[in-house]
Amino acid sequence: MASARRPALWRQDRTAYLFLLPWLLGFFCLTLGPMVYSFYLSLTKFNLLNSPKWLGLQNYVQIFTDDASFLQSLKITFQYVLLSVPLRLIFALLVAMALNKGIRALGIYRTVYYIPSLLGGSVAIAIVWKKIFDGDGLFNHFLANFGIEGPAWIANPLYVIYTIVTLSVWQFGSAMVIFLAGLKQIPADLYEASEVDGAGKVRQFFRITLPLLSPVLFFNLVMSIINSFQVFTPGYVIGDGRGGPIDSTLFYTLYLYLKGFSFFDMGYASALAWIMLAIIGAFTALVFVTSKYWVFYGDGREERG
């Protein structure tokens, strides 16, 4: 009896392996393999034309000790992440709460608000954004109606980063849809019971909405941090591909791109990529570690780290 079962179990296992084979091939050939090769290249000097020349940790030492552009790109990227992530999440939550009031044609509004998330990362939108905030752009024409003379926002290193942050906040649709789904899972009787106890809207928000929405907020926060660190297209288009003016749009990914594909120093660019991976991993780990203090679930327990 047992021997009769073995061929059947083997056939089931073989079928499962066959279904997993495309994923395994993709993982090893398109993900793990290139990652291992990239780490090897980060320890070499490689210009895409000649064979890699072994350098050891020299690329990493140069990055941390003798690369002012690396520090500038980190500064700009950190500034962008610290501004764009909270603003986008706050705006997305506010819109989601407004849409959660049972308005008519909810699907239409949800689609309209989600469209910027689909278009925002494109080159065309970045070009339009550049035109809007140009010295003679639409935004300054709007300010002129109130007697305000606006500067050339994208040509001024003091303001250009804020135009890109504004573009990021405009792409709130993805987080908004997830927040809206989370809001719809909160039982209405909790709000009704709190009203009976005399709780106002502000108290309900901090005592009911935020705690029960914290797992969704946790997910959106992690994804927003990862995506924000990888910003590239707006900086490339608005900064004319060089991080201008005066390196004020020299995002980390743009600097990595310039090193690898403009100066053909692929080994140095690979080292920059691995440093970025470590930075993103550290920020993500920090969110996970602190989540046990502010992420709650429906059964009243906190997230256990």
Side-chain angles (χ1 to χ4, degrees), residues 1-13:
M1 189 73 176
S3 61
R5 282 202 196 104
R6 288 197 193 107
L9 291 174
W10 163 245
R11 284 195 296 270
Q12 292 177 2
D13 291 343

mmCIF file of all heavy atoms in Angstrom, residues 1-13:
data_model
loop_
_atom_site.group_PDB
_atom_site.id
_atom_site.type_symbol
_atom_site.label_atom_id
_atom_site.label_comp_id
_atom_site.label_asym_id
_atom_site.label_seq_id
_atom_site.Cartn_x
_atom_site.Cartn_y
_atom_site.Cartn_z
ATOM 1 N N MET A 1 0.837 -1.205 0.000
ATOM 2 C CA MET A 1 0.000 0.000 0.000
ATOM 3 C C MET A 1 0.872 1.255 0.000
ATOM 4 O O MET A 1 0.650 2.203 -0.721
ATOM 5 C CB MET A 1 -0.912 -0.037 1.230
ATOM 6 C CG MET A 1 -1.975 1.034 1.222
ATOM 7 S SD MET A 1 -3.279 0.665 0.025
ATOM 8 C CE MET A 1 -4.377 2.008 0.351
ATOM 9 N N ALA A 2 1.911 1.191 0.877
ATOM 10 C CA ALA A 2 2.815 2.342 0.962
ATOM 11 C C ALA A 2 3.587 2.526 -0.323
ATOM 12 O O ALA A 2 3.819 3.644 -0.783
ATOM 13 C CB ALA A 2 3.776 2.175 2.141
ATOM 14 N N SER A 3 3.991 1.365 -0.917
ATOM 15 C CA SER A 3 4.741 1.467 -2.174
ATOM 16 C C SER A 3 3.885 1.999 -3.302
ATOM 17 O O SER A 3 4.377 2.625 -4.230
ATOM 18 C CB SER A 3 5.301 0.089 -2.548
ATOM 19 O OG SER A 3 4.231 -0.825 -2.729
ATOM 20 N N ALA A 4 2.563 1.756 -3.226
ATOM 21 C CA ALA A 4 1.674 2.278 -4.262
ATOM 22 C C ALA A 4 1.492 3.775 -4.143
ATOM 23 O O ALA A 4 1.228 4.475 -5.122
ATOM 24 C CB ALA A 4 0.316 1.575 -4.163
ATOM 25 N N ARG A 5 1.644 4.270 -2.898
ATOM 26 C CA ARG A 5 1.471 5.715 -2.701
ATOM 27 C C ARG A 5 2.679 6.492 -3.218
ATOM 28 O O ARG A 5 2.553 7.625 -3.625
ATOM 29 C CB ARG A 5 1.287 6.033 -1.207
ATOM 30 C CG ARG A 5 -0.117 5.740 -0.698
ATOM 31 C CD ARG A 5 -0.395 6.539 0.562
ATOM 32 N NE ARG A 5 -1.552 6.010 1.253
ATOM 33 C CZ ARG A 5 -1.512 5.267 2.345
ATOM 34 N NH1 ARG A 5 -0.338 4.946 2.864
ATOM 35 N NH2 ARG A 5 -2.602 4.827 2.914
ATOM 36 N N ARG A 6 3.862 5.887 -3.131
ATOM 37 C CA ARG A 6 5.082 6.625 -3.478
ATOM 38 C C ARG A 6 5.083 7.161 -4.898
ATOM 39 O O ARG A 6 5.420 8.316 -5.128
ATOM 40 C CB ARG A 6 6.303 5.741 -3.229
ATOM 41 C CG ARG A 6 6.609 5.536 -1.765
ATOM 42 C CD ARG A 6 8.009 5.020 -1.539
ATOM 43 N NE ARG A 6 8.140 4.550 -0.171
ATOM 44 C CZ ARG A 6 8.201 3.279 0.194
ATOM 45 N NH1 ARG A 6 8.091 2.325 -0.718
ATOM 46 N NH2 ARG A 6 8.347 2.949 1.459
ATOM 47 N N PRO A 7 4.737 6.374 -5.922
ATOM 48 C CA PRO A 7 4.712 6.930 -7.287
ATOM 49 C C PRO A 7 3.731 8.085 -7.423
ATOM 50 O O PRO A 7 4.028 9.074 -8.109
ATOM 51 C CB PRO A 7 4.288 5.736 -8.149
ATOM 52 C CG PRO A 7 4.684 4.541 -7.367
ATOM 53 C CD PRO A 7 4.481 4.911 -5.937
ATOM 54 N N ALA A 8 2.559 7.972 -6.748
ATOM 55 C CA ALA A 8 1.580 9.065 -6.835
ATOM 56 C C ALA A 8 2.126 10.327 -6.191
ATOM 57 O O ALA A 8 1.993 11.429 -6.728
ATOM 58 C CB ALA A 8 0.273 8.635 -6.169
ATOM 59 N N LEU A 9 2.754 10.187 -5.013
ATOM 60 C CA LEU A 9 3.339 11.354 -4.345
ATOM 61 C C LEU A 9 4.469 11.948 -5.177
ATOM 62 O O LEU A 9 4.631 13.158 -5.266
ATOM 63 C CB LEU A 9 3.850 10.956 -2.957
ATOM 64 C CG LEU A 9 2.773 10.597 -1.923
ATOM 65 C CD1 LEU A 9 3.421 10.085 -0.648
ATOM 66 C CD2 LEU A 9 1.907 11.822 -1.626
ATOM 67 N N TRP A 10 5.270 11.062 -5.796
ATOM 68 C CA TRP A 10 6.370 11.551 -6.622
ATOM 69 C C TRP A 10 5.844 12.339 -7.818
ATOM 70 O O TRP A 10 6.387 13.375 -8.183
ATOM 71 C CB TRP A 10 7.220 10.384 -7.085
ATOM 72 C CG TRP A 10 8.125 10.720 -8.241
ATOM 73 C CD1 TRP A 10 8.079 10.228 -9.493
ATOM 74 C CD2 TRP A 10 9.210 11.642 -8.230
ATOM 75 N NE1 TRP A 10 9.047 10.766 -10.278
ATOM 76 C CE2 TRP A 10 9.775 11.651 -9.522
ATOM 77 C CE3 TRP A 10 9.766 12.467 -7.254
ATOM 78 C CZ2 TRP A 10 10.847 12.435 -9.851
ATOM 79 C CZ3 TRP A 10 10.849 13.248 -7.593
ATOM 80 C CH2 TRP A 10 11.371 13.229 -8.873
ATOM 81 N N ARG A 11 4.752 11.855 -8.416
ATOM 82 C CA ARG A 11 4.175 12.570 -9.547
ATOM 83 C C ARG A 11 3.658 13.943 -9.121
ATOM 84 O O ARG A 11 3.812 14.935 -9.843
ATOM 85 C CB ARG A 11 3.043 11.742 -10.172
ATOM 86 C CG ARG A 11 3.536 10.575 -11.018
ATOM 87 C CD ARG A 11 2.414 10.029 -11.888
ATOM 88 N NE ARG A 11 1.345 9.473 -11.079
ATOM 89 C CZ ARG A 11 1.288 8.209 -10.686
ATOM 90 N NH1 ARG A 11 2.259 7.367 -11.018
ATOM 91 N NH2 ARG A 11 0.263 7.774 -9.975
ATOM 92 N N GLN A 12 3.047 13.995 -7.918
ATOM 93 C CA GLN A 12 2.567 15.291 -7.411
ATOM 94 C C GLN A 12 3.732 16.242 -7.160
ATOM 95 O O GLN A 12 3.677 17.421 -7.517
ATOM 96 C CB GLN A 12 1.755 15.087 -6.130
ATOM 97 C CG GLN A 12 0.443 14.363 -6.348
ATOM 98 C CD GLN A 12 -0.281 14.115 -5.041
ATOM 99 O OE1 GLN A 12 0.182 14.509 -3.972
ATOM 100 N NE2 GLN A 12 -1.431 13.460 -5.120
ATOM 101 N N ASP A 13 4.803 15.742 -6.532
ATOM 102 C CA ASP A 13 5.967 16.585 -6.258
ATOM 103 C C ASP A 13 6.609 17.053 -7.560
ATOM 104 O O ASP A 13 7.021 18.207 -7.686
ATOM 105 C CB ASP A 13 6.995 15.819 -5.424
ATOM 106 C CG ASP A 13 6.500 15.552 -4.009
ATOM 107 O OD1 ASP A 13 5.534 16.231 -3.591
ATOM 108 O OD2 ASP A 13 7.047 14.663 -3.349
#
